[in-house]
Amino acid sequence: MNKIIKTGLFGGFARAAFIDVTEMVNEEIKIHSLSPLATAALGRALTMGAYVCANLKSPSDTFSITVNGGGPLGSIVIAGGNHTLRGYVDNSSVDLPVRSDGHLDVGGGVGKEGFITVIKDLGLKEPYVGRCELVSGEIAEDFAKYLFVSEGIKNAAAFGVKVDKNGCLAAGGIVVEALPGINDDMLFILEDVTGNFTNVSDLIEEKGIDGIYDFYFSHLDAEVYAEEELFLKCNCSQEKIDGMIKGIGRKECEEILEERGSIEAVCHFCEKKYLYGKEELDKLWEK
């Protein structure tokens, strides 16, 4: 089950989120025919998106995240709200040689000459927009910097995706936040504990996120605040695509139709295809 566990630590002076998106990543592999490298990058980005999604206040709040570091994978986009996520990688078939330590070169695939951009629509007059330069393209480190620079949250983040020839074995991560009033002793303990998560996907496969919480954090005056299930769900619809096609203009649509014989719109997130011929266009403008 895809889920996030939200906890308090040290009686409320810190908090931690434990995220498992393994099943979601395997669904994305089927939808987008992801290479191992694209799987690792998208899985880490989905972990980040799960954290953002779980911290929205209202079911009507939505968000989107774009990571673009100029690497061969292109942009990675995650969006969602109300416990649902969706995502894609521009170039889902890209692969690179593994690094010298045997790990997938996510940083090389993403690149670091760019930004992570987070947009939250919270029902206010203007959406919240946060933007931060990438550090490494490894995504967890970049997100940790984003949280500190754009939202003022002292934190540590560890994300990981483990893949083999059969798909994703484990995907998810941990985000630990220091809250106002935390003391140096508490910070020292958190730094010591988070040092165990250099291969967090191995721990997720071995213990699950419940086991990671129990083993590493439950003794730190901890309390589970919530355990929430997450879902992979696209929000595309015939109505939305109709609006996009209509926005092109009838004359332009008829010219495309004459040149190509049909108009095809494909959703980036779920790969669903919407086809328009002359009959469909006539009905669209009759509406």
Side-chain angles (χ1 to χ4, degrees):
M1 180 174 72
N2 305 298
K3 66 179 181 178
I4 181 168
I5 301 172
K6 297 188 285 187
T7 70
L9 306 173
F10 301 118
F13 287 109
R15 63 183 183 181
F18 306 85
I19 302 158
D20 187 337
V21 291
T22 306
E23 292 181 8
M24 193 177 295
V25 172
N26 276 313
E27 289 183 72
E28 291 281 37
I29 291 172
K30 294 176 182 177
I31 293 169
H32 299 293
S33 300
L34 299 172
S35 69
L37 181 64
T39 298
L42 185 60
R44 294 183 189 186
L46 283 167
T47 304
M48 170 175 56
Y51 175 85
V52 173
C53 186
N55 283 283
L56 297 174
K57 303 300 182 185
S58 168
S60 61
D61 293 345
T62 60
F63 78 94
S64 68
I65 302 171
T66 302
V67 180
N68 191 330
L73 286 171
S75 292
I76 304 171
V77 180
I78 307 294
N82 194 23
H83 302 100
T84 68
L85 298 168
R86 57 191 185 275
Y88 69 89
V89 182
D90 273 348
N91 303 312
S92 60
S93 62
V94 167
D95 232 334
L96 295 174
V98 297
R99 301 181 330 202
S100 58
D101 60 5
H103 289 94
L104 292 166
D105 190 7
V106 174
V110 174
K112 58 182 180 180
E113 303 300 322
F115 297 86
I116 175 174
T117 304
V118 179
I119 301 173
K120 301 178 189 176
D121 186 345
L122 308 177
L124 305 175
K125 187 175 181 180
E126 297 290 338
Y128 164 86
V129 180
R131 197 167 188 243
C132 182
E133 289 184 345
L134 296 175
V135 179
S136 64
E138 295 287 337
I139 298 181
E141 187 179 4
D142 304 302
F143 185 56
K145 180 184 176 183
Y146 162 80
L147 283 178
F148 182 70
V149 172
S150 295
E151 301 193 12
I153 300 171
K154 295 179 180 179
N155 73 95
F159 301 157
V161 178
K162 187 174 183 178
V163 297
D164 69 2
K165 62 182 181 180
N166 298 315
C168 177
L169 302 176
I174 301 162
V175 180
V176 179
E177 297 179 21
L179 300 178
I182 194 169
N183 63 42
D184 290 342
D185 289 339
M186 295 173 184
L187 285 172
F188 178 81
I189 292 170
L190 289 179
E191 288 173 2
D192 184 55
V193 171
T194 54
N196 293 289
F197 304 133
T198 52
N199 291 311
V200 69
S201 58
D202 288 337
L203 287 174
I204 293 172
E205 183 185 27
E206 177 187 344
K207 297 178 180 294
I209 57 172
D210 300 83
I212 293 172
Y213 165 73
D214 289 338
F215 189 83
Y216 292 102
F217 293 91
S218 61
H219 61 287
L220 302 178
D221 191 10
E223 177 185 358
V224 175
Y225 292 153
E227 182 174 321
E228 301 169 357
E229 190 170 2
L230 303 166
F231 303 91
L232 185 71
K233 183 180 179 181
C234 187
N235 70 342
C236 73
S237 66
Q238 188 70 58
E239 183 179 4
K240 288 184 177 181
I241 303 300
D242 283 352
M244 291 173 57
I245 296 297
K246 212 166 184 181
I248 297 173
R250 183 161 191 171
K251 181 180 178 182
E252 288 78 4
C253 284
E254 289 175 344
E255 289 174 355
I256 296 171
L257 196 64
E258 184 176 347
E259 179 183 341
R260 302 181 184 177
S262 66
I263 298 174
E264 180 180 276
V266 182
C267 175
H268 285 301
F269 291 105
C270 69
E271 303 282 353
K272 184 176 179 180
K273 296 180 180 180
Y274 296 83
L275 290 172
Y276 294 82
K278 184 178 185 308
E279 182 179 349
E280 286 77 19
L281 289 181
D282 288 341
K283 288 181 179 178
L284 186 60
W285 262 272
E286 283 175 8
K287 292 181 183 180

